[in-house]
Amino acid sequence: MDLRGCIFDLDGVIVDTAKYHFQAWRRLARELGFEFTMEDNEALKGVSRMASLDILLSRGGIVPDAKEKEELAARKNKWYVELISGMKPDEILPGSLRLLKALRREGILTAIGSASKNAGSILNSTGLHDLFDVIIDGNRISRAKPDPEVFLKGAEEMRLPPQTCVVFEDAQAGIEAAIAGGFKCVGVGLPEVLGRADIVIPDLRKISIKQMRNL
Ligand code: B16
Ligand code: MG
């Protein structure tokens, strides 16, 4: 492919925040009286906060009204923000910095395409902000992954057609979004979970720009 841009999911690809989302959701489930496992959590990755809450509540068989739902989502987010408030640059996932700097050297544009409304504060506390040309986060989209809106906006702001961009994702919903938007995609995680990606790698140390150009 004619590689001009890369769009990175944030949680679980660039930084190790997926574990904090899980801890906060599990704490909420326990307060509501049921267990929420790491397997259950797979379905929440990349999914918006309210859609995640809906999935969690259906696992617990709980049907609250809209006002209670807002309160539960706010409770989870408060714990999550506490967990990420102490984040340091050493929670940047292996290979992220090397790849981002290599892309810069090659003149390939970089974007964040994240469902998270907390993306800005994570990028600031880890010092990653300046390595991205474009940042699209949960505050700038109206349709959650698997809708391709977040990645299409990223490509549009880079002024690149989707077929010249590669999306990096750790979530099934994100891979579906990338495919729907006409992007090549790299799954970061387990092949059994991310099988629809063009290639699956365990982390960003395991991909080169040459491999990406061959997609
Ligand atoms: P927030 P990503 C996603 O970020 C997470 O994977 C997902 O678990 C979370 O529910 C979503 O952001 C919303 O996050 O509650 O912080 O707005 O993976 O798309 O970077
Ligand atoms: Mg993710």
Side-chain angles (χ1 to χ4, degrees), residues 4-18:
R4 308 250 187 106
C6 287
I7 308 178
F8 295 88
D9 171 62
L10 181 63
D11 293 317
V13 170
I14 297 288
V15 287
D16 197 9
T17 42

Side-chain angles (χ1 to χ4, degrees), residues 44-59:
L44 271 54
K45 286 187 179 173
V47 176
S48 73
R49 195 179 307 164
M50 291 313 282
S52 297
L53 178 63
D54 284 337
I55 296 169
L56 179 119
L57 293 173
S58 71
R59 292 274 196 280

Side-chain angles (χ1 to χ4, degrees), residues 58-80:
S58 71
R59 292 274 196 280
I62 294 170
V63 190
D65 63 29
K67 191 164 165 282
E68 286 165 329
K69 270 173 65 176
E70 287 296 336
E71 188 278 320
L72 292 171
R75 212 192 298 176
K76 180 265 174 180
N77 191 55
K78 183 173 163 285
W79 294 326
Y80 176 68

Side-chain angles (χ1 to χ4, degrees), residues 16-27 75-88 91 122 125:
D16 197 9
T17 42
K19 64 182 181 199
Y20 296 136
H21 278 296
F22 172 55
Q23 284 170 25
W25 285 126
R26 188 179 53 185
R27 182 170 170 186
R75 212 192 298 176
K76 180 265 174 180
N77 191 55
K78 183 173 163 285
W79 294 326
Y80 176 68
V81 169
E82 278 165 18
L83 288 166
I84 61 170
S85 68
M87 265 187 88
K88 298 269 165 7
E91 286 179 88
I122 293 169
S125 58

Side-chain angles (χ1 to χ4, degrees), residues 136-175:
I136 310 292
D137 66 14
N139 301 296
R140 301 194 55 202
I141 52 168
S142 51
R143 296 184 300 279
K145 302 167 188 175
D147 189 287
E149 182 188 14
V150 66
F151 299 136
L152 290 172
K153 274 202 169 157
E156 190 184 309
E157 286 204 8
M158 290 192 288
R159 297 174 191 273
L160 296 173
Q163 59 273 23
T164 66
C165 302
V166 174
V167 166
F168 290 78
E169 255 294 346
D170 71 320
Q172 282 165 358
I175 300 288

Side-chain angles (χ1 to χ4, degrees), residues 178-189:
I179 293 169
F183 297 88
K184 293 285 182 192
C185 62
V186 177
V188 183

